[in-house]
Amino acid sequence: MKPRISLITLGVDDLERSLRFYRDGLGLSTDGIVGEQFENGAVAFFDLQPGLRLAVWPRKSLAKDSGLPLGAPCATEISLAHNVSSRAGVDEVMAQAKAAGAVIVKPAQDTFWGGYAGYFQDPDGHLWEVAWNPEVLLEG
């Protein structure tokens, strides 16, 4: 397999709420909810970086499409990392997420690996790490 991840899909309980969180709260670019004309098709896509998008799709639709039973969500199954170019950038994104309605589960702090990071959960409990790594140079 060649690593070509182009879409990350998060199962959500309330599509409108997730749209507002990611679009209005975090400022991610989107065309809004699409696919409502299809049974279990309503979804919202957000541009992350060239070649990579985030989708929020109702958990029930994801379960039906995959053929798996709908289970209880678990926040520690996966985390998404958003890396920034400075310590101050971590604090800025964490504050933006909190203002958007995220739950701060670990305030930003120095890490054991020499960086600075914190964790928040989106309205559906998905875990996001916001990190600055002094060994990785990022633009902006």
Side-chain angles (χ1 to χ4, degrees):
M1 180 173 120
K2 292 183 180 181
R4 291 189 186 139
I5 296 175
S6 58
L7 184 66
I8 298 168
T9 302
L10 299 177
V12 300
D13 289 321
D14 184 328
L15 188 55
E16 291 282 346
R17 178 184 68 190
S18 292
L19 173 66
R20 288 190 304 272
F21 177 78
Y22 287 103
R23 180 192 62 202
D24 304 336
L26 296 186
L28 300 184
S29 176
T30 182
D31 290 331
I33 296 173
V34 297
E36 293 179 289
Q37 70 273 30
F38 304 109
E39 182 180 359
N40 299 305
V43 62
F45 297 100
F46 302 90
D47 297 322
L48 297 179
Q49 61 196 44
L52 182 61
R53 298 176 90 193
L54 174 72
V56 290
W57 197 22
R59 291 176 64 239
K60 289 179 182 178
S61 298
L62 183 56
K64 182 164 178 76
D65 193 55
S66 68
L68 294 172
L70 183 62
C74 178
T76 57
E77 294 293 323
I78 188 172
S79 74
L80 300 171
H82 176 70
N83 290 286
V84 297
S85 60
S86 67
R87 291 173 64 95
V90 173
D91 293 331
E92 290 168 11
V93 173
M94 293 291 286
Q96 182 181 13
K98 183 176 182 181
V103 173
I104 305 301
V105 296
K106 184 177 182 181
Q109 56 194 262
D110 292 326
T111 66
F112 69 90
W113 44 266
Y116 184 72
Y119 284 91
F120 70 83
Q121 286 181 295
D122 75 3
D124 286 279
H126 299 109
L127 191 59
W128 284 81
E129 177 188 28
V130 182
W132 166 71
N133 184 336
E135 301 296 321
V136 176
L137 298 178
L138 298 175
E139 294 181 22

